[in-house]
Amino acid sequence: MGSLFRSETMCLAQLFLQSGTAYECLSALGEKGLVQFRDLNQNVSSFQRKFVGEVKRCEELERILAYLVQEINRADIPLPEGETSPPAPPLKQVLEMQEQLQKLEVELREVTKNKEKLRKNLLELIEYTHMLRVTKTFVKRNVEFEPTYEEFPPLENDSLLDYSCMQRLGAKLGFVSGLINQGKVEAFEKMLWRVCKGYTIVTYAELDEPLEDPETGEVIKWYVFLISFWGEQIGHKVKKICDCYHCHVYPYPNTAEERKEIQEGLNTRIQDLYTVLHKTEDYLRQVLCKAAESVYSHVIQVKKMKAIYHMLNMCSFDVTNKCLIAEVWCPEADLHDLRRALQEGSRESGATIPSFMNTIPTKETPPTLIRTNKFTEGFQNIVDAYGVGSYREVNPALFTIVTFPFLFAVMFGDFGHGFVMFLFALLLVLNENHPRLNQSQEILRMFFNGRYILLLMGLFSVYTGLIYNDCFSKSVNLFGSGWNVSAMYSSGHAPAERGKMVLWNDTIVRRSRVLQLDPSVPGVFQGPYPLGIDPIWNLATNRLTFLNSFKMKMSVILGIIHMTFGVILGIFNHLHFRKKFNIYLVSVPELLFMLCIFGYLIFMIVYKWLVYSAETSRVAPSILIEFINMFLFPASETNGLYSGQEHVQRLLLAVTVLSVPVLFLGKPLFLLWLHNGRSCFGVSRSGYTLIRKESEEEVSLLGNQDIEEGNNQMEDGCREMTCEEFNFGEILMTQVIHSIEYCLGCISNTASYLRLWALSLAHAQLSDVLWTMLVRVGLRVDTTYGVLLLLPVIALFAVLTIFILLIMEGLSAFLHAIRLHWVEFQNKFYVGAGTKFVPFSFRLLSSKFSDDMA
Amino acid sequence: MLEGAEFYFNVDHGYLEGLVRGCKASLLTQQDYINLVQCETLEDVKIHLQTTDYGNFLANQTNPLTVSKIDTEMRKKLCREFEYFRNHSLEPLSTFFTYMTCSYMIDNVILLMNGALQKKPVKEILVKCHPLGRFTEMEAVNIAETPSDLFKAVLVETPLAPFFQDCMSENTFDELNIELLRNKLYKSYLEAFYKFCKNHGDVTGEIMCPILEFEADRRAFIITLNSFGTELSKEDRETLYPTCGKLYPEGLRLLAQAEDFDQMRRVADHYGVYKPLFEAVGDGSGGKTLEDVFYEREVQMNVLAFNRQFHYGVFYAYTKLKEQEMRNIVWIAECISQRHRTKINSYIPIL
């Protein structure tokens, strides 16, 4: 049984870490993942702790690394993920690493900034060329359609002021041209009109290709505009408005030659910029590639370092400030490893004084550690989902390994379905080292984690399927049926016997639609089928009645055995926690209550199976009636199962009734008696009080140490002492509630186990329906077309089998099996009020960096 | 809206109300403030804020951390939340949101005009503008030289336009004019907002009207206080008072005649709501300032707004509470960075 039966014994240990070597020691501990640290500075807020500066440095490094990863991802450079995880960096390297990273960051920022600047420049130049190209047509139009342009001067009633005049007058006529975001055009125009009161002419055209916005990097549509205005004042306003709408304004060439010149200049500059930009990008890529090589190990290292400092923040300093004191929970079995890890750590850092540890006694409840392997992990998870076991409590996971798949299989009993499930699980198990399965997500991950559960569930379903003799709802005749139909014909029997028996002859066989085989006729029933249900039942019309009776009784028997087992496990708990009185005052009455009622029911079921045969079946009494009569004491005598039944039942009932008050009052009264006069008898000393004595000694011992270590723990000690107060009312209430729950639970839980029957019935019927509705229809069709039809029918059958019968039904059976374990089984003994042992281990840090950082 | 808004409220605004209540739960608690006050450096403040709902909003800031960086980031966060509310809102809640932004817009316009008056570049001022009151036309404010210019050219299409009816004048801007403009705009804004809430009725009216009445009266008091010893005439002063408060009309008339703080206090004594506030004000040397007292009262009203359901006041209250929280954090951060710890505890606790 070993470690899976109970959680491991833990001890509280104090580590004395020399301040110079603390980091290395914790690094060594983290690699091994042996201990769980206790926070000794709970009332110190996070920014007042000792190593907050180091944590900050780690955060700074993380920020830089996040930036690197972001840039690397943006450049589409693959990030190699290392196989091994590098150890936490030695302190000497940290500075080096930090420097290196900071240098890299500065360089990277500079290069990207340059790149951005160049790109922005380039975009601007491109915009400028576009603008020049578009505005050229504006001017042309102006020249061509002179009259429209001339419209303006007459408005001012000055016919002399034509276009050429305006130019001659000097700087009066100005142009502003540029690009504006498509969405802002309308508002821009309106404001221009309102502000300049029509002293401007705005021409604009949409740019046919969308360009990137140099500021936001968005690709949007742009409009090119040209504003012609008169007068200096208006010019200023126009410029301000352009600024307001974030227009990109470019100087407007006045003459055609100038325009050409600018255009040529622009083209060469664009060419130049392209080459420079390419070079910069190449260089950037080089830098990033180099960074990408080491970024993975850096990320892991920084994470480890941060974790170490977080743990160091939980330690307290001793008086001399020379060493750190950490309090850890450690499994006793690992103490040796712990010592070695500490030695290693000290050796690595080359300290003169080694770090050491000693164990300290404690009254606090240690965390629960149950070591699991890949097989038991899934089952332990089922139990832990209900509640992590209290320290050193009997762990139901061990029994769950067998009972869970078995109860599942009782509800999922089908040879074929079970085999498919088994194959699927086997596939997962055999390929469990496949990387794609390991990193799978969501649903597949769920299946993968529960692969061993699935495997056993499939295997057990194969077994129960054999017992039920169900394979895709059809029975398999492996050994030959135990029933002989021909024996029902009259020929083979002696004339004397014929009179008593209802035998078949040709007329009966021809006329009646339903024929009944009579097992009492010699030769008809030749003995039971070697394994499970006889396949002949598959043909019988009363098959369901027969199976129902069988499955109902079976589920009651299984349920009561399961629950009784739970109560017995409770005895192990009481033995271990040295509360023997609980066995006599709680467990034994509970067992008696359960067995006297429901144990007797099982007895009756089995007795009836064994004693009554086909011949005597007509006089067999109903178990239901007998069971009810056990409580009602009817006036009229029935012919019971056996002689003296009445007396036995009375006795059992008396025991049941007597066990109830014991259950209700026994424990509270006993505790009260102990509390009031525990010095009376030696008996009491050996049990409960001895533990109290012991613990008091421990507490005082603890107290002595506390004085040395400071008053922080003294408070803990005081807290522990106070909770031992005796409160009779409370104990009585708890016990009464528990007893009521148990007594009612016995009945309701037994009824609850009938779900085994219900679900197995539902499963069998559903698969039967699927068969009759699909495959039988397909098989009935004429041979010529039948082949063609059978293919889609079989395909549909397979799909529906997998989705409805395997996945849906499987899930429901799984849930019910879980419920039976959590509620009906575990509430008989399992407290589940522990806390999980979470060791400080680097393995628990996520080794993937892409999802949380990028 | 129909009577019994609770039947229909959730159809349109239920999601946002749920959201804003969730956001309210993330306001800093008393314990957070106690921890913040203990901080030694701004880095500590940052670390502590990381454990609250602010998360690592400062993570991407390069060192050294300054108060203004914290302030900007906090504002950005509030703005993001507000924009989210606004983008998901339906009428008439979106109009309500527009009204809420108007006060920030007025402040921004005035800030920009003051900047223009002092010949500062627009870019520099823009940084100081409150992000909630941002609008496109804002940057062109300095084109205008008179209030009517401002209205006709720049603001005619913004939500601020209706508030201009009283302040059209051809005077060129100077410092006093701008201040007058601000107060007049604010007056008509408050009155319009009050009318909107009143017309909306229902719980929204019941919650928002007292808050806005208080806001109006507070402005009246503050204007009076600030006008002592300036060239502002009493008649002019009276035109600046918002008329939707509890002081209207007698209180305002009396306030207009007030000449010093004591006379103002006497006016307030007539009102049960304001009497205790003025009594709480300390005299010169120590104690709270009038402003702080008003802030406290505002916080109290805003917190109480969350006691009712199915109304828009929660959005207003949340924004105001968040602003108060930001002011508190900035105050604490300033005290820490200037090593001026004696006054660090005079933040306004949010209940």
Side-chain angles (χ1 to χ4, degrees):
Chain A
M1 287 211 189
S3 63
L4 202 56
F5 184 57
R6 289 189 195 286
S7 58
E8 298 225 353
T9 46
M10 289 278 167
C11 57
L12 189 65
Q14 265 187 325
L15 308 183
F16 294 89
L17 305 163
Q18 306 303 318
S19 38
T21 69
Y23 179 85
E24 284 80 4
C25 287
L26 256 70
S27 166
L29 285 178
E31 293 294 343
K32 293 208 166 133
L34 295 172
V35 294
Q36 175 179 355
F37 281 80
R38 288 188 358 155
D39 193 352
L40 298 179
N41 304 325
Q42 254 163 355
N43 37 15
V44 182
S45 55
S46 59
F47 53 84
Q48 285 170 332
R49 299 203 173 189
K50 194 73 193 171
F51 292 93
V52 72
E54 281 81 355
V55 173
K56 260 187 230 166
R57 192 203 295 171
C58 292
E59 269 166 11
E60 170 73 10
L61 288 178
E62 273 183 345
R63 189 186 61 74
I64 297 176
L65 285 169
Y67 172 70
L68 283 182
V69 169
Q70 181 197 335
E71 286 298 318
I72 290 169
N73 279 340
R74 196 191 284 171
D76 268 337
I77 295 170
L79 276 166
E81 282 191 33
E83 294 297 314
T84 55
S85 77
L91 282 175
K92 291 165 208 152
Q93 277 184 26
V94 173
L95 271 180
E96 203 178 305
M97 191 168 99
Q98 189 180 8
E99 229 166 76
Q100 199 186 331
L101 282 176
Q102 271 166 352
K103 227 161 72 188
L104 198 60
E105 192 208 1
V106 170
E107 190 180 352
L108 207 58
R109 278 201 195 275
E110 204 152 301
V111 175
T112 30
K113 210 171 88 190
N114 277 341
K115 197 188 103 184
E116 288 304 317
K117 218 193 261 170
L118 285 174
R119 255 169 44 82
K120 203 170 157 186
N121 229 323
L122 184 66
L123 275 173
E124 274 170 7
L125 291 181
I126 291 172
E127 277 179 5
Y128 198 4
T129 49
H130 279 299
M131 192 211 83
L132 285 179
R133 185 170 51 79
V134 177
T135 47
K136 201 156 83 182
T137 58
F138 292 169
V139 175
K140 255 189 203 157
R141 209 167 57 199
N142 284 346
V143 175
E144 277 167 21
F145 302 98
E146 203 82 15
T148 55
Y149 193 74
E150 293 280 312
E151 255 175 39
F152 215 85
L155 266 179
E156 293 193 334
N157 292 328
D158 192 348
S159 55
L160 286 172
L161 223 66
D162 61 358
Y163 177 60
S164 47
C165 277
M166 292 288 280
Q167 260 191 341
R168 250 177 273 129
L169 280 171
K172 288 269 171 80
L173 183 68
F175 293 100
V176 172
S177 60
L179 278 82
I180 184 169
N181 199 330
Q182 188 187 24
K184 291 178 182 166
V185 175
E186 206 180 330
F188 176 62
E189 203 188 357
K190 272 189 193 165
M191 186 180 274
L192 268 180
W193 172 256
R194 284 199 306 264
V195 172
C196 309
K197 298 171 181 106
Y199 286 99
T200 52
I201 295 176
V202 188
T203 336
Y204 51 86
E206 193 180 339
L207 206 57
D208 34 10
E209 53 188 305
L211 289 177
E212 216 174 300
D213 189 340
E215 265 151 49
T216 57
E218 247 179 304
V219 178
I220 31 176
K221 279 266 188 189
W222 294 88
Y223 271 79
V224 173
F225 64 84
L226 174 68
I227 306 168
S228 359
F229 57 86
W230 282 268
E232 197 86 10
Q233 286 289 328
I234 295 196
H236 280 302
K237 284 185 179 172
V238 167
K239 276 188 188 121
K240 269 181 188 165
I241 293 170
C242 286
D243 280 348
C244 162
Y245 282 93
H246 301 281
C247 304
H248 303 154
V249 178
Y250 299 101
Y252 183 75
N254 283 323
T255 61
E257 293 90 64
E258 204 180 323
R259 176 191 301 277
K260 213 170 168 191
E261 248 170 56
I262 292 177
Q263 198 124 35
E264 274 164 13
L266 279 178
N267 282 341
T268 51
R269 274 178 67 194
I270 287 176
Q271 288 300 327
D272 288 352
L273 268 179
Y274 263 125
T275 45
V276 175
L277 196 62
H278 270 298
K279 285 223 172 101
T280 320
E281 267 169 0
D282 279 348
Y283 178 67
L284 185 70
R285 213 178 158 73
Q286 249 173 3
V287 173
L288 284 175
C289 278
K290 215 173 72 191
E293 283 166 22
S294 58
V295 86
Y296 173 76
S297 65
H298 280 324
V299 167
I300 299 288
Q301 281 184 322
V302 169
K303 266 189 191 167
K304 285 187 176 179
M305 199 159 78
K306 199 175 163 190
I308 290 175
Y309 283 121
H310 269 301
M311 289 302 140
L312 284 177
N313 269 337
M314 291 185 171
C315 306
S316 65
F317 268 90
D318 76 339
V319 196
T320 55
N321 251 8
K322 270 186 190 144
C323 68
L324 281 162
I325 300 167
E327 272 185 30
V328 296
W329 290 112
C330 178
E332 264 174 15
D334 287 343
L335 279 178
H336 185 66
D337 282 344
L338 175 60
R339 283 202 185 90
R340 225 176 31 219
L342 282 181
Q343 280 167 7
E344 254 171 52
S346 329
R347 202 176 52 232
E348 225 164 83
S349 61
T352 45
I353 321 157
S355 298
F356 59 97
M357 54 152 292
N358 61 355
T359 56
I360 46 176
T362 178
K363 278 225 67 201
E364 272 182 71
T365 331
T368 310
L369 166 66
I370 294 164
R371 287 184 209 269
T372 53
N373 52 30
K374 60 184 178 182
F375 176 69
T376 52
E377 195 188 5
F379 297 98
Q380 187 66 51
N381 280 343
I382 289 179
V383 172
D384 282 352
Y386 173 79
V388 177
S390 304
Y391 179 62
R392 299 291 287 158
E393 184 179 32
V394 169
N395 178 19
L398 179 64
F399 313 103
T400 305
I401 294 175
V402 178
T403 54
F404 183 81
F406 179 68
L407 288 187
F408 171 83
V410 169
M411 292 180 271
F412 197 73
D414 190 302
F415 181 81
H417 297 155
F419 194 64
V420 173
M421 183 179 277
F422 172 73
L423 281 186
F424 173 68
L426 195 67
L427 208 69
L428 287 180
V429 169
L430 290 180
N431 293 319
E432 65 187 356
N433 292 326
H434 199 279
R436 255 181 62 196
L437 276 175
N438 275 322
Q439 287 159 14
S440 53
Q441 298 291 320
E442 302 278 330
I443 292 181
L444 191 60
R445 176 105 210 137
M446 216 162 68
F447 283 127
F448 180 71
N449 285 339
R451 59 196 183 279
Y452 285 101
I453 305 177
L454 276 179
L455 190 76
L456 283 190
M457 287 189 327
L459 215 55
F460 277 75
S461 297
V462 168
Y463 168 72
T464 48
L466 280 177
I467 296 290
Y468 295 161
N469 213 338
D470 257 348
C471 177
F472 299 113
S473 84
K474 294 284 119 185
S475 293
V476 184
N477 193 356
L478 285 177
F479 306 102
S481 173
W483 295 74
N484 188 359
V485 180
S486 60
M488 283 303 287
Y489 280 93
S490 41
S491 56
H493 298 287
E497 291 170 345
R498 274 185 211 171
K500 285 189 279 177
M501 297 181 286
V502 189
L503 291 178
W504 298 353
N505 52 38
D506 287 346
T507 47
I508 292 179
V509 170
R510 254 182 229 126
R511 274 195 208 144
S512 43
R513 292 188 60 233
V514 180
L515 290 168
Q516 193 173 11
L517 288 168
D518 186 354
S520 57
V521 174
V524 171
F525 183 63
Q526 294 160 337
Y529 191 70
L531 182 68
I533 306 285
D534 199 304
I536 200 168
W537 285 105
N538 197 35
L539 307 170
T541 47
N542 61 344
R543 172 178 190 237
L544 217 54
T545 329
F546 169 71
L547 282 182
N548 278 350
S549 156
F550 162 71
K551 283 180 178 171
M552 178 174 68
K553 284 166 184 160
M554 175 197 68
S555 36
V556 169
I557 293 173
L558 288 179
I560 288 166
I561 292 175
H562 200 207
M563 288 191 294
T564 314
F565 183 57
V567 178
I568 291 172
L569 283 181
I571 295 181
F572 282 94
N573 268 343
H574 298 321
L575 279 177
H576 181 265
F577 293 119
R578 287 197 248 170
K579 290 185 175 167
K580 252 187 201 146
F581 62 90
N582 264 345
I583 299 176
Y584 305 119
L585 297 175
V586 179
S587 294
V588 169
E590 277 180 357
L591 266 184
L592 284 176
F593 185 85
M594 169 91 85
L595 289 179
C596 286
I597 301 179
F598 296 101
Y600 181 64
L601 180 63
I602 295 183
F603 164 77
M604 285 199 289
I605 292 170
V606 176
Y607 183 84
K608 191 178 162 189
W609 275 341
L610 292 178
V611 170
Y612 292 93
S613 66
E615 286 83 11
T616 53
S617 64
R618 295 198 183 282
V619 292
S622 156
I623 291 179
L624 188 65
I625 302 292
E626 293 295 321
F627 194 56
I628 292 172
N629 283 348
M630 177 172 166
F631 298 98
L632 293 185
F633 311 114
S636 63
E637 284 289 308
T638 51
N639 48 340
L641 286 161
Y642 53 91
S643 58
Q645 182 189 3
E646 201 183 322
H647 303 291
V648 173
Q649 286 182 351
R650 291 256 161 92
L651 178 70
L652 289 177
L653 206 58
V655 173
T656 312
V657 170
L658 282 179
S659 65
V660 172
V662 176
L663 201 54
F664 270 72
L665 299 171
K667 185 180 170 187
L669 288 180
F670 180 75
L671 287 180
L672 185 68
W673 175 66
L674 271 188
H675 182 71
N676 289 340
R678 55 179 156 162
S679 57
C680 292
F681 294 102
V683 190
S684 59
R685 294 189 65 91
S686 64
Y688 187 68
T689 43
L690 202 65
I691 291 178
R692 284 182 63 97
K693 277 264 154 101
E694 240 177 75
S695 58
E696 268 166 20
E697 274 167 21
E698 276 177 11
V699 168
S700 63
L701 215 120
L702 197 72
N704 287 339
Q705 275 190 339
D706 285 342
I707 294 163
E708 294 164 11
E709 288 157 16
N711 42 10
N712 208 2
Q713 283 172 336
M714 198 62 190
E715 287 163 21
D716 289 347
C718 291
R719 201 180 60 223
E720 284 157 27
M721 291 286 283
T722 49
C723 64
E724 293 233 348
E725 223 169 89
F726 185 81
N727 187 344
F728 179 71
E730 203 177 300
I731 292 174
L732 186 69
M733 278 310 291
T734 334
Q735 184 61 24
V736 166
I737 290 170
H738 173 80
S739 307
I740 292 176
E741 194 193 342
Y742 179 81
C743 294
L744 294 180
C746 272
I747 298 160
S748 64
N749 290 354
T750 310
S752 187
Y753 273 97
L754 289 178
R755 72 187 68 229
L756 291 177
W757 161 41
L759 265 95
S760 93
L761 179 76
H763 184 80
Q765 287 303 302
L766 208 60
S767 54
D768 193 41
V769 165
L770 200 64
W771 180 274
T772 41
M773 300 287 268
L774 275 173
V775 180
R776 214 167 66 169
V777 172
L779 287 173
R780 272 185 179 171
V781 176
D782 198 331
T783 42
T784 39
Y785 305 109
V787 179
L788 294 176
L789 186 66
L790 220 48
L791 203 69
V793 163
I794 294 288
L796 193 61
F797 177 72
V799 169
L800 288 181
T801 299
I802 287 177
F803 280 101
I804 296 183
L805 292 177
L806 279 169
I807 296 184
M808 212 182 79
E809 276 282 291
L811 266 178
S812 97
F814 185 90
L815 286 181
H816 283 282
I818 282 189
R819 187 226 137 95
L820 285 178
H821 276 84
W822 281 353
V823 181
E824 273 76 28
F825 178 55
Q826 290 183 6
N827 78 357
K828 300 286 181 293
F829 66 100
Y830 188 61
V831 179
T835 47
K836 210 167 179 136
F837 176 73
V838 188
F840 165 56
S841 167
F842 291 147
R843 242 167 299 158
L844 299 178
L845 300 172
S846 89
S847 58
K848 282 206 289 186
F849 58 96
S850 32
D851 27 283
D852 53 352
M853 292 190 74
Chain B
M1 207 185 252
L2 293 167
E3 275 301 310
E6 46 269 36
F7 292 124
Y8 312 102
F9 187 87
N10 278 348
V11 177
D12 289 341
H13 318 298
Y15 168 61
L16 287 182
E17 195 189 350
L19 211 60
V20 80
R21 280 173 189 278
C23 286
K24 191 241 172 187
S26 70
L27 290 175
L28 296 187
T29 61
Q30 197 56 43
Q31 187 57 42
D32 287 325
Y33 281 114
I34 292 172
N35 285 337
L36 276 179
V37 167
Q38 288 171 356
C39 291
E40 296 284 336
T41 63
L42 289 185
E43 281 293 318
D44 293 347
V45 175
K46 172 180 161 186
I47 288 176
H48 185 77
L49 286 180
Q50 269 174 10
T51 62
T52 67
D53 200 60
Y54 282 101
N56 46 0
F57 74 118
L58 290 169
N60 290 328
Q61 293 295 316
T62 46
N63 288 325
L65 201 61
T66 60
V67 180
S68 66
K69 272 183 193 166
I70 296 179
D71 191 29
T72 330
E73 286 299 317
M74 283 194 301
R75 279 187 179 185
K76 266 191 204 155
K77 190 169 178 289
L78 173 64
C79 201
R80 267 202 304 279
E81 286 169 354
F82 188 83
E83 284 301 317
Y84 186 85
F85 291 144
R86 201 172 171 177
N87 292 341
H88 287 79
S89 63
L90 294 170
E91 285 297 344
L93 181 57
S94 27
T95 314
F96 185 84
F97 278 132
T98 312
Y99 270 113
M100 275 171 66
T101 52
C102 279
S103 67
Y104 302 102
M105 286 163 75
I106 293 173
D107 284 344
N108 282 350
V109 168
I110 301 298
L111 189 67
L112 279 168
M113 290 200 315
N114 270 328
L117 209 63
Q118 289 158 22
K119 303 269 182 272
K120 280 185 187 161
V122 183
K123 285 256 155 54
E124 203 176 288
I125 313 277
L126 269 183
V127 184
K128 290 183 191 160
C129 286
H130 200 289
L132 280 184
R134 237 163 235 274
F135 56 104
T136 351
E137 293 91 343
M138 194 166 84
E139 291 167 46
V141 157
N142 54 2
I143 302 171
E145 267 147 21
T146 64
S148 48
D149 238 13
L150 183 68
F151 170 70
K152 280 184 198 144
V154 186
L155 298 176
V156 73
E157 284 194 350
T158 63
L160 292 184
F163 312 137
F164 262 87
Q165 61 210 13
D166 290 341
C167 31
M168 303 291 260
S169 71
E170 297 296 331
N171 302 339
T172 44
F173 284 125
D174 56 31
E175 228 162 289
L176 184 67
N177 268 340
I178 291 175
E179 201 52 38
L180 284 180
L181 177 68
R182 179 215 294 272
N183 284 318
K184 278 182 183 164
L185 278 179
Y186 224 98
K187 169 186 151 92
S188 23
Y189 155 69
L190 270 181
E191 283 163 5
F193 196 7
Y194 184 79
K195 210 169 132 200
F196 171 79
C197 292
K198 192 114 195 156
N199 287 343
H200 187 278
D202 270 335
V203 191
T204 304
E206 284 169 38
I207 295 290
M208 280 309 291
C209 287
I211 292 180
L212 290 175
E213 278 165 12
F214 171 73
E215 181 70 27
D217 291 342
R218 172 165 80 169
R219 283 202 76 82
F221 282 122
I222 299 287
I223 289 168
T224 318
L225 191 64
N226 286 344
S227 68
F228 295 147
T230 58
E231 61 216 52
L232 192 70
S233 71
K234 284 176 181 168
E235 291 75 40
D236 278 351
R237 198 203 290 170
E238 195 172 1
T239 58
L240 298 181
Y241 294 149
T243 55
C244 55
K246 285 205 168 67
L247 293 179
Y248 181 77
E250 292 84 6
L252 291 183
R253 213 169 46 234
L254 289 172
L255 263 190
Q257 302 306 320
E259 270 163 11
D260 55 16
F261 187 75
D262 278 328
Q263 288 181 14
M264 200 164 98
R265 187 197 290 260
R266 233 166 283 142
V267 177
D269 280 350
H270 297 299
Y271 293 87
V273 195
Y274 302 114
K275 197 177 172 201
L277 296 185
F278 274 81
E279 277 164 1
V281 177
D283 48 344
S285 58
K288 297 165 185 168
T289 61
L290 185 62
E291 212 171 345
D292 282 352
V293 173
F294 278 136
Y295 274 139
E296 267 172 32
R297 169 88 185 139
E298 189 192 3
V299 165
Q300 203 183 354
M301 292 179 87
N302 286 330
V303 170
L304 286 179
F306 279 90
N307 286 359
R308 300 281 299 269
Q309 220 188 330
F310 309 122
H311 65 101
Y312 304 150
V314 279
F315 299 100
Y316 183 86
Y318 172 68
T319 316
K320 291 288 168 194
L321 287 178
K322 197 81 184 171
E323 281 221 306
Q324 186 57 50
E325 179 180 294
M326 280 155 42
R327 272 196 294 270
N328 288 343
I329 293 176
V330 168
W331 171 262
I332 292 171
E334 281 290 358
C335 285
I336 289 170
S337 68
Q338 293 175 10
R339 311 235 155 260
H340 191 73
R341 302 194 71 90
T342 44
K343 283 203 161 182
I344 199 166
N345 276 318
S346 50
Y347 55 87
I348 316 285
I350 291 171
L351 316 163

